[in-house]
Coordinates of all heavy atoms in Angstrom, one line a residue:
G1 N 28.6 -23.5 -3.2 CA 28.1 -24.7 -2.6 C 26.6 -24.9 -3.0 O 26.0 -24.0 -3.5
A2 N 26.1 -26.1 -2.6 CA 24.7 -26.4 -2.9 C 23.8 -25.8 -1.8 O 22.6 -25.6 -2.1 CB 24.5 -27.9 -2.9
G3 N 24.3 -25.5 -0.6 CA 23.5 -24.9 0.4 C 23.1 -23.5 0.1 O 23.8 -22.7 -0.4
K4 N 21.9 -23.2 0.6 CA 21.4 -21.8 0.4 C 21.6 -21.0 1.7 O 21.6 -21.6 2.8 CB 19.9 -21.8 0.1 CG 19.6 -22.3 -1.3 CD 18.1 -22.1 -1.6 CE 17.8 -22.5 -3.0 NZ 16.4 -22.2 -3.4
T5 N 21.9 -19.7 1.5 CA 22.0 -18.9 2.7 C 20.6 -18.7 3.3 O 19.6 -18.9 2.6 CB 22.6 -17.5 2.3 OG1 21.7 -16.8 1.5 CG2 23.9 -17.7 1.7
R6 N 20.5 -18.2 4.5 CA 19.3 -17.9 5.2 C 18.4 -16.9 4.3 O 17.2 -17.1 4.2 CB 19.5 -17.4 6.6 CG 18.3 -17.3 7.4 CD 18.7 -17.0 8.9 NE 17.6 -17.0 9.7 CZ 16.7 -16.0 9.9 NH1 16.9 -14.9 9.2 NH2 15.7 -16.1 10.7
S7 N 19.1 -15.9 3.8 CA 18.3 -14.9 3.1 C 17.8 -15.4 1.8 O 16.7 -15.1 1.3 CB 19.2 -13.6 2.8 OG 20.3 -13.9 2.0
E8 N 18.6 -16.3 1.1 CA 18.1 -17.0 -0.1 C 16.8 -17.8 0.2 O 15.9 -17.8 -0.6 CB 19.2 -17.8 -0.7 CG 20.2 -17.0 -1.4 CD 21.4 -17.9 -1.9 OE1 21.7 -18.9 -1.2 OE2 22.1 -17.5 -2.9
I9 N 16.9 -18.6 1.3 CA 15.8 -19.4 1.7 C 14.5 -18.5 2.0 O 13.4 -18.8 1.5 CB 16.1 -20.3 2.9 CG1 17.2 -21.3 2.5 CG2 14.9 -20.9 3.5 CD1 17.8 -22.0 3.7
L10 N 14.7 -17.5 2.7 CA 13.6 -16.6 3.0 C 13.0 -16.0 1.8 O 11.8 -15.8 1.6 CB 14.1 -15.5 4.0 CG 14.2 -15.9 5.4 CD1 14.8 -14.7 6.2 CD2 12.9 -16.3 6.0
R11 N 13.9 -15.6 0.8 CA 13.5 -15.0 -0.4 C 12.6 -16.0 -1.2 O 11.6 -15.6 -1.7 CB 14.7 -14.5 -1.2 CG 14.3 -13.5 -2.3 CD 15.6 -12.8 -2.9 NE 16.7 -13.7 -3.2 CZ 17.9 -13.6 -2.6 NH1 18.2 -12.6 -1.8 NH2 18.8 -14.5 -3.0
D12 N 13.0 -17.2 -1.2 CA 12.3 -18.3 -1.9 C 10.9 -18.5 -1.3 O 9.9 -18.6 -2.0 CB 13.0 -19.6 -1.9 CG 14.2 -19.6 -2.8 OD1 14.3 -18.7 -3.6 OD2 15.0 -20.6 -2.7
V13 N 10.9 -18.5 0.1 CA 9.6 -18.6 0.8 C 8.6 -17.5 0.5 O 7.5 -17.7 0.2 CB 9.8 -18.8 2.3 CG1 8.5 -18.6 3.1 CG2 10.5 -20.1 2.6
V14 N 9.2 -16.3 0.5 CA 8.4 -15.1 0.2 C 7.8 -15.1 -1.2 O 6.7 -14.9 -1.5 CB 9.2 -13.8 0.5 CG1 8.4 -12.6 -0.1 CG2 9.4 -13.6 1.9
R15 N 8.7 -15.5 -2.1 CA 8.3 -15.6 -3.5 C 7.2 -16.6 -3.7 O 6.2 -16.3 -4.4 CB 9.6 -16.0 -4.4 CG 9.5 -15.5 -5.8 CD 10.8 -15.7 -6.6 NE 11.8 -14.9 -6.2 CZ 13.1 -15.3 -5.9 NH1 13.4 -16.5 -5.9 NH2 14.0 -14.4 -5.6
R16 N 7.3 -17.8 -3.1 CA 6.3 -18.8 -3.1 C 5.0 -18.2 -2.5 O 3.9 -18.5 -3.1 CB 6.7 -20.1 -2.4 CG 7.5 -21.0 -3.3 CD 7.5 -22.4 -2.8 NE 8.1 -22.5 -1.5 CZ 9.4 -22.5 -1.2 NH1 10.3 -22.5 -2.2 NH2 9.8 -22.6 0.0
G17 N 5.1 -17.5 -1.4 CA 3.9 -16.9 -0.8 C 3.2 -15.9 -1.7 O 2.0 -15.9 -1.8
V18 N 4.0 -15.1 -2.4 CA 3.4 -14.1 -3.3 C 2.8 -14.8 -4.4 O 1.7 -14.5 -4.8 CB 4.5 -13.1 -3.8 CG1 4.1 -12.3 -4.9 CG2 5.0 -12.3 -2.6
A19 N 3.4 -15.9 -5.0 CA 2.8 -16.6 -6.1 C 1.5 -17.3 -5.7 O 0.5 -17.3 -6.4 CB 3.8 -17.7 -6.6
A20 N 1.5 -17.8 -4.5 CA 0.3 -18.5 -3.9 C -0.8 -17.4 -3.8 O -2.0 -17.7 -4.1 CB 0.5 -19.2 -2.6
E21 N -0.5 -16.3 -3.3 CA -1.5 -15.2 -3.1 C -2.0 -14.7 -4.5 O -3.2 -14.5 -4.6 CB -0.8 -14.0 -2.4 CG -1.7 -12.8 -2.1 CD -2.8 -13.1 -1.1 OE1 -2.6 -14.0 -0.2 OE2 -3.8 -12.5 -1.2
R22 N -1.1 -14.6 -5.4 CA -1.6 -14.2 -6.8 C -2.5 -15.2 -7.4 O -3.5 -14.9 -8.0 CB -0.4 -14.1 -7.7 CG 0.4 -12.8 -7.6 CD 1.6 -12.7 -8.5 NE 1.1 -12.6 -9.9 CZ 1.9 -12.5 -10.9 NH1 3.2 -12.6 -10.8 NH2 1.5 -12.3 -12.1
L23 N -2.2 -16.5 -7.2 CA -3.0 -17.6 -7.7 C -4.4 -17.6 -7.0 O -5.4 -17.6 -7.7 CB -2.3 -18.9 -7.5 CG -3.2 -20.2 -7.8 CD1 -3.6 -20.2 -9.3 CD2 -2.4 -21.4 -7.5
E24 N -4.4 -17.4 -5.7 CA -5.6 -17.4 -5.0 C -6.5 -16.2 -5.4 O -7.7 -16.4 -5.6 CB -5.3 -17.3 -3.5 CG -6.5 -17.7 -2.6 CD -7.0 -19.1 -2.9 OE1 -6.2 -20.0 -3.1 OE2 -8.2 -19.3 -3.0
R25 N -6.0 -15.1 -5.6 CA -6.7 -13.9 -6.1 C -7.3 -14.2 -7.5 O -8.4 -13.8 -7.8 CB -5.9 -12.6 -6.1 CG -5.8 -12.0 -4.7 CD -5.4 -10.5 -4.8 NE -4.2 -10.3 -5.5 CZ -3.0 -10.2 -4.9 NH1 -2.9 -10.2 -3.6 NH2 -1.9 -10.0 -5.7
A26 N -6.5 -14.7 -8.3 CA -6.9 -15.0 -9.7 C -8.0 -16.1 -9.7 O -9.0 -15.9 -10.5 CB -5.7 -15.5 -10.6
L27 N -7.9 -17.1 -8.9 CA -8.9 -18.1 -8.8 C -10.3 -17.5 -8.4 O -11.3 -17.8 -8.9 CB -8.5 -19.3 -7.9 CG -7.4 -20.2 -8.3 CD1 -7.0 -21.1 -7.2 CD2 -7.8 -21.0 -9.5
E28 N -10.2 -16.7 -7.4 CA -11.4 -16.0 -6.8 C -12.0 -15.1 -7.9 O -13.3 -15.1 -8.0 CB -11.1 -15.2 -5.6 CG -11.0 -16.1 -4.4 CD -12.2 -17.0 -4.1 OE1 -13.3 -16.5 -4.0 OE2 -12.0 -18.3 -4.1
A29 N -11.2 -14.3 -8.6 CA -11.7 -13.4 -9.6 C -12.4 -14.2 -10.7 O -13.5 -13.8 -11.2 CB -10.6 -12.6 -10.2
Y30 N -11.8 -15.3 -11.1 CA -12.4 -16.2 -12.1 C -13.7 -16.8 -11.6 O -14.7 -16.9 -12.3 CB -11.5 -17.2 -12.6 CG -12.0 -18.0 -13.8 CD1 -12.1 -17.5 -15.1 CD2 -12.6 -19.3 -13.5 CE1 -12.7 -18.3 -16.1 CE2 -13.2 -20.0 -14.6 CZ -13.2 -19.5 -15.8 OH -13.8 -20.2 -16.9
R31 N -13.7 -17.3 -10.4 CA -14.8 -17.9 -9.8 C -16.0 -17.0 -9.8 O -17.2 -17.4 -10.0 CB -14.5 -18.3 -8.3 CG -15.7 -19.0 -7.6 CD -15.4 -19.2 -6.1 NE -14.1 -19.7 -5.9 CZ -13.9 -20.8 -5.2 NH1 -14.9 -21.5 -4.7 NH2 -12.7 -21.2 -5.0
H32 N -15.8 -15.7 -9.5 CA -16.9 -14.7 -9.5 C -17.1 -14.1 -10.8 O -17.8 -13.1 -10.9 CB -16.6 -13.7 -8.4 CG -16.5 -14.3 -7.0 ND1 -17.6 -14.8 -6.4 CD2 -15.5 -14.4 -6.1 CE1 -17.3 -15.3 -5.2 NE2 -16.0 -15.1 -5.0
R33 N -16.5 -14.6 -11.9 CA -16.7 -14.2 -13.2 C -16.3 -12.7 -13.4 O -16.9 -12.0 -14.2 CB -18.2 -14.4 -13.7 CG -18.7 -15.8 -13.5 CD -18.0 -16.8 -14.3 NE -18.6 -18.1 -14.2 CZ -18.0 -19.1 -13.4 NH1 -16.9 -18.9 -12.8 NH2 -18.6 -20.2 -13.3
Q34 N -15.4 -12.2 -12.6 CA -14.9 -10.9 -12.7 C -13.9 -10.7 -13.9 O -13.7 -9.6 -14.4 CB -14.3 -10.4 -11.4 CG -15.3 -10.4 -10.3 CD -14.6 -10.2 -8.9 OE1 -13.4 -10.6 -8.8 NE2 -15.3 -9.7 -8.0
V35 N -13.3 -11.8 -14.3 CA -12.3 -11.8 -15.3 C -12.4 -13.0 -16.2 O -13.0 -14.0 -15.8 CB -10.8 -11.8 -14.8 CG1 -10.6 -10.5 -14.0 CG2 -10.6 -13.0 -13.9
S36 N -11.9 -13.0 -17.4 CA -11.9 -14.1 -18.3 C -10.9 -15.1 -17.9 O -10.0 -14.8 -17.0 CB -11.6 -13.6 -19.7 OG -10.2 -13.2 -19.8
L37 N -10.9 -16.3 -18.5 CA -9.9 -17.3 -18.2 C -8.5 -16.7 -18.5 O -7.5 -16.9 -17.7 CB -10.2 -18.5 -19.0 CG -9.1 -19.6 -18.9 CD1 -9.0 -20.2 -17.5 CD2 -9.4 -20.7 -19.9
G38 N -8.4 -16.1 -19.7 CA -7.1 -15.6 -20.1 C -6.5 -14.5 -19.1 O -5.4 -14.6 -18.8
R39 N -7.4 -13.6 -18.7 CA -7.0 -12.6 -17.8 C -6.6 -13.2 -16.4 O -5.7 -12.7 -15.8 CB -8.1 -11.5 -17.7 CG -7.8 -10.4 -16.7 CD -6.7 -9.5 -17.3 NE -6.4 -8.4 -16.3 CZ -5.1 -8.2 -15.9 NH1 -4.1 -8.9 -16.3 NH2 -4.9 -7.3 -15.0
A40 N -7.4 -14.1 -16.0 CA -7.1 -14.8 -14.7 C -5.8 -15.4 -14.7 O -5.0 -15.3 -13.7 CB -8.2 -15.7 -14.3
S41 N -5.5 -16.1 -15.8 CA -4.2 -16.8 -15.9 C -3.1 -15.8 -15.9 O -2.0 -16.0 -15.3 CB -4.1 -17.7 -17.1 OG -4.1 -17.0 -18.3
E42 N -3.3 -14.7 -16.5 CA -2.3 -13.6 -16.5 C -2.1 -13.0 -15.1 O -0.9 -12.8 -14.7 CB -2.8 -12.5 -17.5 CG -1.8 -11.4 -17.7 CD -2.3 -10.4 -18.7 OE1 -3.2 -9.6 -18.2 OE2 -1.9 -10.3 -19.8
L43 N -3.2 -12.8 -14.4 CA -3.1 -12.3 -13.0 C -2.3 -13.3 -12.1 O -1.6 -12.9 -11.2 CB -4.5 -12.1 -12.4 CG -5.3 -11.0 -13.0 CD1 -6.7 -11.1 -12.4 CD2 -4.7 -9.7 -12.6
A44 N -2.5 -14.6 -12.4 CA -1.8 -15.6 -11.6 C -0.4 -15.8 -12.0 O 0.4 -16.4 -11.3 CB -2.6 -17.0 -11.8
G45 N 0.0 -15.3 -13.2 CA 1.3 -15.4 -13.7 C 1.6 -16.8 -14.2 O 2.7 -17.3 -14.1
L46 N 0.6 -17.5 -14.7 CA 0.7 -18.8 -15.2 C 0.2 -19.0 -16.6 O -0.7 -18.2 -17.0 CB -0.2 -19.8 -14.3 CG 0.2 -19.9 -12.8 CD1 -0.9 -20.7 -12.1 CD2 1.5 -20.5 -12.7
P47 N 0.8 -19.9 -17.3 CA 0.2 -20.2 -18.6 C -1.3 -20.7 -18.5 O -1.6 -21.3 -17.4 CB 1.1 -21.4 -19.2 CG 2.3 -21.4 -18.3 CD 1.9 -20.8 -17.0
V48 N -2.1 -20.4 -19.5 CA -3.5 -20.8 -19.4 C -3.7 -22.3 -19.1 O -4.5 -22.7 -18.2 CB -4.2 -20.5 -20.7 CG1 -5.7 -21.0 -20.7 CG2 -4.2 -19.0 -20.9
T49 N -2.9 -23.1 -19.7 CA -3.0 -24.6 -19.5 C -2.8 -25.0 -18.0 O -3.4 -25.8 -17.4 CB -2.1 -25.4 -20.4 OG1 -0.8 -24.9 -20.2 CG2 -2.5 -25.3 -21.8
V50 N -1.8 -24.3 -17.4 CA -1.5 -24.6 -16.0 C -2.6 -24.0 -15.1 O -3.0 -24.7 -14.1 CB -0.1 -24.0 -15.6 CG1 0.2 -24.1 -14.1 CG2 1.0 -24.6 -16.4
F51 N -3.1 -22.8 -15.5 CA -4.2 -22.2 -14.7 C -5.4 -23.1 -14.7 O -6.1 -23.3 -13.7 CB -4.5 -20.8 -15.2 CG -5.4 -20.1 -14.3 CD1 -5.0 -19.7 -13.0 CD2 -6.7 -19.8 -14.7 CE1 -5.9 -19.0 -12.2 CE2 -7.6 -19.1 -13.8 CZ -7.2 -18.7 -12.6
I52 N -5.7 -23.7 -15.9 CA -6.9 -24.6 -16.0 C -6.7 -25.8 -15.0 O -7.7 -26.2 -14.3 CB -7.0 -25.1 -17.4 CG1 -7.6 -24.0 -18.3 CG2 -8.0 -26.3 -17.5 CD1 -7.6 -24.3 -19.8
D53 N -5.5 -26.3 -14.9 CA -5.2 -27.4 -13.9 C -5.5 -26.9 -12.5 O -6.1 -27.6 -11.7 CB -3.8 -27.9 -14.0 CG -3.5 -28.7 -15.3 OD1 -4.5 -29.2 -15.9 OD2 -2.4 -28.8 -15.7
E54 N -5.1 -25.7 -12.2 CA -5.4 -25.1 -10.9 C -6.9 -24.9 -10.6 O -7.4 -25.2 -9.5 CB -4.6 -23.8 -10.7 CG -3.1 -23.9 -10.7 CD -2.6 -24.7 -9.5 OE1 -3.3 -24.8 -8.4 OE2 -1.5 -25.3 -9.6
L55 N -7.6 -24.5 -11.7 CA -9.1 -24.4 -11.6 C -9.7 -25.7 -11.2 O -10.6 -25.8 -10.4 CB -9.7 -23.8 -12.9 CG -9.4 -22.4 -13.1 CD1 -9.9 -22.0 -14.6 CD2 -10.2 -21.5 -12.1
R56 N -9.2 -26.8 -11.9 CA -9.7 -28.1 -11.7 C -9.4 -28.5 -10.2 O -10.3 -29.1 -9.6 CB -9.1 -29.1 -12.6 CG -9.7 -29.1 -14.0 CD -9.4 -30.3 -14.8 NE -9.8 -30.2 -16.2 CZ -9.1 -29.9 -17.2 NH1 -7.8 -29.8 -17.1 NH2 -9.6 -29.7 -18.4
R57 N -8.2 -28.3 -9.8 CA -7.8 -28.7 -8.5 C -8.7 -28.0 -7.4 O -9.0 -28.5 -6.4 CB -6.3 -28.3 -8.3 CG -5.7 -29.0 -7.1 CD -4.2 -28.8 -7.1 NE -3.6 -29.5 -8.2 CZ -2.7 -29.0 -9.1 NH1 -2.4 -27.8 -9.0 NH2 -2.3 -29.7 -10.1
A58 N -9.0 -26.7 -7.7 CA -9.8 -25.9 -6.8 C -11.3 -26.2 -6.9 O -12.1 -25.7 -6.2 CB -9.5 -24.4 -7.0
G59 N -11.7 -27.1 -7.9 CA -13.1 -27.4 -8.1 C -13.9 -26.3 -8.7 O -15.1 -26.2 -8.5
I60 N -13.2 -25.4 -9.4 CA -13.9 -24.2 -10.0 C -14.2 -24.4 -11.4 O -15.2 -23.8 -11.9 CB -13.0 -22.9 -9.8 CG1 -12.7 -22.6 -8.3 CG2 -13.6 -21.7 -10.5 CD1 -11.7 -21.5 -8.1
L61 N -13.4 -25.2 -12.1 CA -13.6 -25.3 -13.6 C -15.0 -25.7 -13.9 O -15.5 -26.7 -13.4 CB -12.6 -26.3 -14.2 CG -12.6 -26.2 -15.7 CD1 -12.0 -24.9 -16.2 CD2 -11.7 -27.4 -16.2
R62 N -15.7 -25.0 -14.8 CA -17.0 -25.3 -15.2 C -17.0 -25.7 -16.6 O -16.0 -25.7 -17.3 CB -17.9 -24.0 -15.0 CG -17.4 -22.9 -15.9 CD -18.0 -21.5 -15.4 NE -17.1 -20.5 -16.0 CZ -17.4 -19.8 -17.0 NH1 -18.6 -19.9 -17.7 NH2 -16.6 -18.8 -17.5
D63 N -18.2 -26.1 -17.1 CA -18.3 -26.5 -18.5 C -18.1 -25.3 -19.3 O -18.6 -24.2 -19.1 CB -19.7 -27.1 -18.8 CG -19.8 -28.5 -18.1 OD1 -18.8 -29.1 -17.8 OD2 -21.0 -28.9 -17.8
Y64 N -17.3 -25.5 -20.4 CA -17.0 -24.5 -21.3 C -18.1 -24.5 -22.4 O -18.5 -25.5 -22.9 CB -15.7 -24.8 -22.0 CG -14.6 -23.9 -21.6 CD1 -13.3 -24.2 -21.9 CD2 -14.8 -22.7 -21.0 CE1 -12.2 -23.4 -21.6 CE2 -13.8 -21.8 -20.7 CZ -12.5 -22.2 -21.0 OH -11.5 -21.4 -20.6
H65 N -18.4 -23.3 -22.9 CA -19.2 -23.1 -24.1 C -18.2 -23.0 -25.2 O -17.1 -22.4 -25.0 CB -20.1 -21.9 -24.0 CG -21.1 -21.9 -22.9 ND1 -22.0 -22.9 -22.8 CD2 -21.2 -21.2 -21.8 CE1 -22.8 -22.7 -21.7 NE2 -22.3 -21.7 -21.1
A66 N -18.5 -23.5 -26.4 CA -17.5 -23.5 -27.5 C -17.0 -22.1 -27.8 O -15.8 -21.9 -28.0 CB -18.1 -24.1 -28.7
E67 N -17.9 -21.1 -27.8 CA -17.6 -19.8 -28.1 C -16.6 -19.2 -27.1 O -15.6 -18.5 -27.4 CB -18.8 -18.9 -28.1 CG -18.6 -17.4 -28.4 CD -17.9 -17.1 -29.7 OE1 -18.0 -17.9 -30.6 OE2 -17.3 -16.0 -29.8
E68 N -16.8 -19.5 -25.8 CA -15.9 -19.0 -24.7 C -14.5 -19.7 -24.9 O -13.5 -19.0 -24.8 CB -16.5 -19.4 -23.4 CG -15.7 -18.8 -22.2 CD -16.4 -19.2 -20.9 OE1 -17.2 -20.1 -20.8 OE2 -16.0 -18.5 -19.9
L69 N -14.5 -20.9 -25.2 CA -13.2 -21.6 -25.4 C -12.5 -21.0 -26.6 O -11.3 -20.7 -26.5 CB -13.5 -23.1 -25.7 CG -12.2 -23.9 -26.0 CD1 -11.2 -23.8 -24.8 CD2 -12.6 -25.4 -26.3
R70 N -13.2 -20.7 -27.7 CA -12.6 -20.1 -28.8 C -12.0 -18.7 -28.5 O -10.8 -18.4 -28.8 CB -13.6 -20.0 -30.0 CG -13.0 -19.5 -31.3 CD -14.0 -19.1 -32.3 NE -14.9 -18.0 -31.9 CZ -14.5 -16.7 -31.8 NH1 -13.3 -16.4 -32.1 NH2 -15.3 -15.8 -31.4
R71 N -12.7 -18.0 -27.8 CA -12.3 -16.6 -27.4 C -11.0 -16.7 -26.5 O -10.1 -16.0 -26.6 CB -13.4 -15.9 -26.6 CG -13.5 -14.4 -26.9 CD -14.7 -13.7 -26.3 NE -15.2 -14.3 -25.0 CZ -16.4 -14.9 -24.9 NH1 -17.2 -14.9 -25.9 NH2 -16.8 -15.4 -23.8
D72 N -11.1 -17.6 -25.5 CA -10.0 -17.8 -24.6 C -8.7 -18.3 -25.3 O -7.6 -17.9 -25.0 CB -10.3 -18.7 -23.4 CG -11.2 -18.0 -22.4 OD1 -11.2 -16.8 -22.3 OD2 -11.9 -18.7 -21.7
L73 N -8.9 -19.2 -26.2 CA -7.8 -19.7 -27.0 C -7.2 -18.6 -27.9 O -6.0 -18.5 -28.0 CB -8.1 -20.9 -27.8 CG -8.4 -22.2 -27.0 CD1 -8.9 -23.3 -27.9 CD2 -7.2 -22.6 -26.3
E74 N -8.0 -17.8 -28.5 CA -7.6 -16.6 -29.3 C -6.7 -15.7 -28.4 O -5.7 -15.3 -28.8 CB -8.8 -15.8 -29.8 CG -9.1 -16.1 -31.2 CD -10.3 -15.4 -31.7 OE1 -10.6 -14.3 -31.2 OE2 -11.0 -15.9 -32.5
W75 N -7.2 -15.4 -27.2 CA -6.5 -14.6 -26.3 C -5.2 -15.2 -25.9 O -4.2 -14.5 -25.9 CB -7.3 -14.4 -25.0 CG -6.7 -13.4 -24.1 CD1 -6.9 -12.1 -24.0 CD2 -5.6 -13.7 -23.1 NE1 -6.0 -11.5 -23.0 CE2 -5.3 -12.5 -22.5 CE3 -5.0 -14.9 -22.7 CZ2 -4.3 -12.5 -21.5 CZ3 -4.0 -14.8 -21.7 CH2 -3.7 -13.6 -21.1
A76 N -5.2 -16.5 -25.6 CA -3.9 -17.1 -25.2 C -2.9 -17.1 -26.4 O -1.7 -16.9 -26.1 CB -4.2 -18.6 -24.9
G77 N -3.4 -17.1 -27.6 CA -2.5 -17.0 -28.7 C -1.8 -15.7 -28.9 O -0.7 -15.6 -29.4
Q78 N -2.4 -14.7 -28.3 CA -1.9 -13.3 -28.4 C -0.9 -13.0 -27.2 O -0.2 -12.0 -27.3 CB -3.0 -12.3 -28.3 CG -4.0 -12.4 -29.5 CD -5.2 -11.6 -29.3 OE1 -5.4 -10.9 -28.3 NE2 -6.1 -11.6 -30.3
A79 N -1.0 -13.9 -26.2 CA -0.1 -13.6 -25.0 C 1.4 -13.7 -25.3 O 1.8 -14.4 -26.2 CB -0.5 -14.6 -23.9

């Protein structure tokens, strides 16, 4: 059936909570320059492009220097 069991619903809620917690930790690490963009997106479990959207949403995204962008894109290509 289309209905989910109580345990399936709880598992989904926990999974979303864990994902939100991972994202929050990654955003904070990036905000404090503890990790690169590539590493932060990895910690969040998100593609770099999606993580950039999250940075914008959180008001964290700063101006990029060309060299930093090149480095992050290189890293993303290796992921």
Side-chain angles (χ1 to χ4, degrees):
K4 288 186 174 186
T5 66
R6 187 171 188 279
S7 64
E8 285 172 331
I9 291 169
L10 284 174
R11 199 166 44 238
D12 287 349
V13 167
V14 168
R15 209 174 285 130
R16 277 198 299 276
V18 169
E21 180 68 27
R22 283 180 69 181
L23 174 60
E24 200 54 46
R25 278 201 305 263
L27 289 171
E28 282 306 303
Y30 183 79
R31 180 191 312 238
H32 296 296
R33 309 295 182 257
Q34 296 167 335
V35 295
S36 69
L37 174 67
R39 179 71 184 122
S41 67
E42 188 179 71
L43 290 172
L46 296 172
V48 173
T49 52
V50 176
F51 188 70
I52 287 171
D53 289 340
E54 293 297 333
L55 287 170
R56 283 198 186 104
R57 193 168 296 129
I60 297 171
L61 192 67
R62 62 200 159 101
D63 290 336
Y64 250 166
H65 299 298
E67 177 61 23
E68 184 178 21
L69 178 59
R70 187 189 63 73
R71 218 177 25 248
D72 285 336
L73 290 175
E74 259 175 32
W75 183 93
Q78 294 167 3

